[in-house]
Each structure stands twice: as structure tokens, then as C-alpha cells.
Amino acid sequence: MVTDACGGLGYEPTDVVAFADATGDGLPDVVGVNWGQVGVLASDGLGGLAPMSRFRIGYDPPLALDVNGDGRVDVVTLYLIDAWSAKNVSRTSLAAHITPWSDVGYAHAGVEGKPRLMGHGDMVAGQPCSIDLIKAAASAPAVLIVGANPALMPLKQGTLVPAPDVVVFLGTSASGDLHLQTTWPGGVPSHFDLFLQVWVKDPAATAGWASSNGLRGAVP
């Protein structure tokens, strides 16, 4: 058996969602998702796969289907109450709604598993922007940590993702979630990075604290 290195689609087997012809050449390709990014490994016609193409889209498990009736496989996924699609507009590419948010990883599990932090909004001046935490301990003290740079330092047997520039003390709801919404300010330069993470007091977690994944927002 000969294997080719072509880059990973993601971290879990369930990230692979379809073996389908995404490029219109009659050959099966591999379409997958990994925390807000769609990856396409196109067949090269020689028994191997071409280098991966990545497209940002929503977060939830996607479907591969033809959404516009042109005979090409598109990708649809959900983000909270929104539906996102990456439409196959040519033999080799997808046209996706670009999201500035990406998952950095390093979540530390608690009573409900690993808390999940998600960002919503285009990070454009005057437009709504929000973050949502789910799968955390219910009615628990929480700390939102925000920084312009990553720290990736050990903390409470987990990993502190942002270098803490701003620390906000909050609390989760009775259902173990948290929603914060604001309007994105003007004057933030393009390509500015923002790193966020939420830590939640949780007796079920090692060292008594669970943490969400780190979340990166990249201003377009």
C-alpha cells in the first residue's frame, strides 16, 4: 500500500461528510468539515488526491448536496439559527460566505463535555457581533478572557489560549449557555486578531474549572 500526504480534513472521523464529485470531472472527491472550515480533496485522476482547498463556512455538521440545481455538489451547514452554503461555482472551487471566526482548540471538559465557544458576525464597523457559549455547567461562575495575542499557557490542567488583556466576570444560564452581543466598533485595523476563551467553574472538571475552545476573530 502506498499513501500520499495531502493534509488533514480535521480532528475526528465524523469530519468527513461525503465522497462525491465536487469538481464535475466524474471522479469521487472527499468533502469534509473541521470547525467552521470546509475542506475539499479533489481526485487527481491518477488514484491520488490533489492538495486541499479550504473554505470557511458554518460550524455544525454539514450536508453535501446540490442546492442550486446545477448538477454540482455544494456544501450546506448551520450556524446557530443561520444556514450557510458553499456553492460549487466551477470545476475546482467553491464560493463561500467567509466568516472571520475560527476555532483554536484546547477546550477542557466539564460536566457537559467540552464547552464550545462560537463567534457570529462579520467584524465590520457598525454591524452586530456576538459570541455564544454552549455545553457548559449550568448557573455557574464564568470568566471571559480576551487578548490580542495567544498565550497557550497551562492553567488548571487545561490551556489558557488568549494572553489576557481583558478579563470579564460573567455567569452561565440555567441551561449552561452564555450569549453576548455588541456592535463592532469602528477604527479597528484590518488583519487585527482577537483571541477569546471562557472558563467556567465546574466541580466535574479536573482542578474545578472547565474551559471552552479558544476562538480567534480575524478582522477582514
Side-chain angles (χ1 to χ4, degrees), residues 8-99:
L9 276 171
Y11 297 105
E12 303 291 342
T14 52
D15 285 334
V16 178
V17 295
F19 296 91
D21 181 11
T23 56
D25 60 1
L27 299 173
D29 308 308
V30 181
V31 180
V33 68
N34 176 19
W35 283 97
Q37 294 188 88
V38 171
V40 178
L41 291 165
S43 173
D44 62 7
L46 301 174
L49 296 171
M52 180 184 294
S53 299
R54 289 185 182 274
F55 311 89
R56 287 183 179 178
I57 194 170
Y59 285 94
D60 289 338
L63 299 172
L65 70 164
D66 181 6
V67 298
N68 54 2
D70 64 359
R72 291 189 289 259
V73 174
D74 309 306
V75 179
V76 177
T77 186
L78 301 177
Y79 180 92
L80 299 180
I81 61 172
D82 297 330
W84 298 59
S85 65
K87 295 185 177 66
N88 192 340
V89 295
S90 72
R91 292 177 63 87
T92 58
S93 66
L94 298 173
H97 182 119
I98 301 299
T99 172

Side-chain angles (χ1 to χ4, degrees), residues 100-101 119-131 144 146-148 180-196 215-220:
W101 303 99
H120 187 43
D122 293 331
M123 301 180 78
V124 173
Q127 297 299 310
C129 187
S130 65
I131 59 171
L144 170 65
V146 183
L180 298 174
Q181 183 166 341
T182 187
T183 299
W184 190 255
V188 182
S190 295
H191 309 300
F192 176 80
D193 282 346
L194 194 65
F195 293 87
L196 306 95
L215 182 67
R216 177 190 177 194
V219 178

